[in-house]
Amino acid sequence: MSTAASPHPFETTRCTGPIVVMGVCGCGKTSVGERLASTLGCRFIEGDSRHPVANVEKMRQGIPLEDADRWPWLELLGGELGKDEQTIVSCSALKRSYRDLLRMRAGRPITFVFLQGARTLLSSRMGAREGHYMPLSLLDSQLATLEVPQDERDVVTVEIEQPLERIVSDAIARIAAIGFATTTDNR
């Protein structure tokens, strides 16, 4: 009987296409994106860090962004997704038109991981986080703007009311089930 530890079930899984971790504020895009990137051996881009200063100031003041505020930001992120298939980006991608722009600018298939959770959970998470410019007051505007992905075959939905490791393993399993973005490395 071997005493060697069993490998993590996704230890040999790697990223083979760009992934966008999406959802409203407080859903855990950054935490999930960072862990996915680490697990799959991808580069991670925190989408919020790419917002123009004017967008950050609006949000800091509790003013919801409009489409005109988001288009240049989405174009930038879409370009990043097109540069390297080994990239994971956190981005709210609230509307289908936003997701379509990311797809178009990337110029390659993208997989979206939609992090879904109840408003009460989102609110408590936002209230507990420190150092982020997005105030809790913007949660309702994001929920109102959100177009829940439907009939988008490159989107998987993962419930956030579970531990981070489970969210990540669910995301990887769902991505693999639709045949996008990950592959098992049989070296």
Side-chain angles (χ1 to χ4, degrees):
M1 176 179 232
S2 171
T3 58
S6 298
H8 185 280
F10 301 112
E11 201 168 89
T12 60
T13 302
R14 62 182 174 83
C15 192
T16 62
I19 298 171
V20 173
V21 180
M22 61 163 286
V24 299
C25 50
C27 70
K29 294 182 293 291
T30 300
S31 298
V32 172
E34 287 174 338
R35 188 65 59 90
L36 271 174
S38 173
T39 303
L40 297 176
C42 298
R43 161 177 88 121
F44 177 70
I45 297 172
E46 166 52 69
D48 282 346
S49 72
R50 304 295 172 95
H51 268 297
V53 172
N55 285 7
V56 173
E57 284 309 309
K58 267 182 115 167
M59 290 183 282
R60 192 182 313 275
Q61 295 171 27
I63 302 169
L65 297 181
E66 298 176 10
D67 286 354
D69 300 314
R70 288 187 175 107
W71 293 128
W73 173 67
L74 292 164
E75 292 223 5
L76 175 79
L77 293 177
E80 288 291 333
L81 291 162
K83 286 180 186 176
D84 181 5
E85 67 182 18
Q86 305 263 328
T87 301
I88 296 177
V89 172
S90 62
C91 172
S92 53
L94 297 174
K95 293 183 178 180
R96 183 168 188 152
S97 60
Y98 302 167
R99 296 186 291 276
D100 288 343
L101 177 62
L102 290 168
R103 291 175 180 111
M104 190 263 314
R105 286 290 292 142
R108 66 175 73 222
I110 299 173
T111 303
F112 292 85
V113 176
F114 172 47
L115 301 178
Q116 180 173 273
R119 187 200 182 288
T120 53
L121 177 58
L122 296 164
S123 178
S124 77
R125 285 182 172 190
M126 286 189 71
R129 70 185 183 181
E130 296 177 12
H132 197 283
Y133 57 79
M134 178 77 86
L136 177 58
S137 62
L138 290 179
L139 176 59
D140 288 330
S141 75
Q142 286 216 329
L143 288 168
T145 302
L146 177 65
E147 294 174 1
V148 174
Q150 296 180 17
D151 301 320
E152 295 176 65
R153 70 182 202 94
D154 57 356
V155 180
V156 298
T157 301
V158 178
E159 294 295 326
I160 63 168
E161 197 167 323
Q162 54 187 335
L164 178 60
E165 288 301 320
R166 181 60 191 219
I167 293 169
V168 170
S169 64
D170 280 0
I172 292 170
R174 290 171 192 270
I175 291 167
I178 64 169
F180 282 90
T182 63
T183 187
T184 300
D185 189 352
N186 291 322
R187 286 185 255 176

